Amino acid sequence: LSLSRGGQTQTQEILMSADGRYVIFAEVEDVTSDPFKAIAAKINTTNSPVKGPKDAKVTIVEFSDFQCPYCARAHQTISEQVMKEYDGKVKLVYKNFPLGFHKWAEPAGIAGACAYQQDPESFWKFYDFMFVNQQQITPENVKEKSQEALKGTKVDMAKWNDCYDNKKTLDKVKADMAEGSSVGVTGTPAFIINGRKISGAQP
């Protein structure tokens, strides 16, 4: 039996007892399908910062906020343990998910995306700097600190300033957030590991 509810069709199995007294309604689920594969397929890993081999068996998609203290703690675990201990076996993909009550998180997301547009490698220097120096960054100095993070990189700072000042990567930041919401991300940090969602700064 197929039922339509709210525009979605559900398949149900109806079982009746031999004496006709009892009826069981049960939803039919395909247990051969992989729900984690379906979640992973919703995430676009192109045009986002990527560290690690393309063919890695494990893909970690990090939805993060540069101002979030738990994200800084998670960054330490990812950078100092996961990416070192599993070198060559893990691919890390970064996605922005700035929370509204963190005043400099969105500008930092824009800044990082502007750096990535010019030189993907420079993004990872920016990424490390922002989390390591998080306590010294404010809404007033986030641009200055971003410029400091990018010193010595291949980023053309005149182009970067134009990108940052005119928020040319804001649409990319918003797209990351929409993508995160579509796979159940509601806070930071959140990690999608081969399609499995893990929330918070885990050990």
Side-chain angles (χ1 to χ4, degrees):
L1 172 66
S2 292
L3 303 174
S4 182
R5 292 178 181 171
Q8 293 188 334
T9 301
Q10 294 180 324
T11 302
Q12 287 198 334
E13 186 80 16
I14 300 176
L15 303 173
M16 183 174 285
S17 62
D19 60 8
R21 291 182 63 190
Y22 302 101
V23 176
I24 299 172
F25 294 89
E27 284 189 26
V28 178
E29 296 284 348
D30 180 2
V31 296
T32 63
S33 67
D34 182 352
F36 301 117
K37 189 175 181 181
I39 291 171
K42 287 184 177 182
I43 300 173
N44 182 3
T45 58
T46 59
N47 300 320
S48 289
V50 178
K51 182 186 283 189
K54 290 181 180 179
D55 60 349
K57 289 185 177 180
V58 176
T59 298
I60 301 174
V61 181
E62 175 184 357
F63 286 91
S64 197
D65 168 324
F66 286 115
Q67 191 177 345
C68 159
Y70 294 103
C71 297
R73 192 186 303 170
H75 164 264
Q76 191 173 18
T77 302
I78 291 287
S79 296
E80 297 301 316
Q81 292 181 273
V82 176
M83 298 307 289
K84 287 182 179 178
E85 292 178 25
Y86 299 95
D87 184 36
K89 299 177 182 179
V90 176
K91 177 171 65 177
L92 176 65
V93 182
Y94 184 84
K95 298 278 187 176
N96 290 288
F97 204 89
L99 303 177
F101 55 88
H102 285 158
K103 299 303 179 187
W104 59 264
E106 184 177 275
I110 291 168
C114 285
Y116 172 77
Q117 274 190 346
Q118 286 195 51
D119 179 41
E121 282 302 311
S122 296
F123 170 82
W124 293 106
K125 184 182 178 187
F126 175 89
Y127 166 88
D128 289 335
F129 180 96
M130 297 307 273
F131 284 126
V132 170
N133 297 281
Q134 189 183 74
Q135 297 299 316
Q136 285 75 52
I137 304 171
T138 67
E140 293 72 33
N141 72 9
V142 62
K143 180 180 179 181
E144 180 187 333
K145 288 293 185 181
S146 297
Q147 291 168 330
E148 185 180 337
L150 295 169
K151 279 182 182 175
T153 68
K154 296 178 182 177
V155 173
D156 180 320
M157 293 312 295
K159 289 181 181 178
W160 182 90
N161 282 322
D162 177 57
C163 179
Y164 178 85
D165 291 340
N166 293 293
K167 300 182 178 182
K168 291 185 175 180
T169 55
L170 179 58
D171 286 349
K172 169 60 177 155
V173 173
K174 297 287 189 186
D176 282 356
M177 294 184 72
E179 196 172 56
S181 296
S182 76
V183 294
V185 175
T186 56
T188 57
F191 300 93
I192 310 295
I193 304 176
N194 284 8
R196 293 173 184 257
K197 183 165 79 76
I198 295 177
S199 298
Q202 301 293 335

